[in-house]
Amino acid sequence: MQRYLWQQADGRRHAYDTDAERPAVGQPLTTLCGATVTPRTQDMAPGMWFDQTCWRCDREWRVREGFPPEEIPALATETEDAR
Ligand SMILES: [Zn+2]
């Protein structure tokens, strides 16, 4: 099983650590980017994930999995917070 998985919640697809977190409807979930989000019923339905990827989680995932530096995007290039 993969250590890290994605979960949509609060309008983005975040990643979480399966060793520490277990997503459940209405329960706070701490994600790799440090945000605490709360999945809703529709967030738990497979195939219903239309929200944007959280790039901070994507980056944190790559760092934790030991990706080579050239595959880890710099935070300065992110547009994640342009809401
Ligand atoms: Zn995130």
Side-chain angles (χ1 to χ4, degrees), residues 6-77:
W6 293 97
Q7 175 62 53
Q8 176 174 286
D10 291 2
R12 288 193 191 279
R13 292 196 311 117
H14 294 276
Y16 66 95
D17 183 347
T18 61
D19 273 6
E21 300 291 334
R22 190 169 298 270
V25 172
Q27 296 297 312
L29 178 74
T30 302
T31 63
L32 294 191
C33 66
T36 300
V37 297
T38 306
R40 301 160 299 170
T41 300
Q42 59 267 44
D43 291 326
M44 304 300 283
M48 295 298 287
W49 290 7
F50 302 118
D51 291 341
Q52 283 191 350
T53 297
C54 171
W55 296 112
R56 288 181 190 280
C57 277
D58 180 71
R59 182 179 190 280
E60 181 66 20
W61 181 318
R62 290 166 190 250
V63 170
R64 292 186 184 208
E65 291 282 25
F67 276 51
E70 63 271 22
E71 291 183 29
I72 297 174
L75 284 174
T77 64

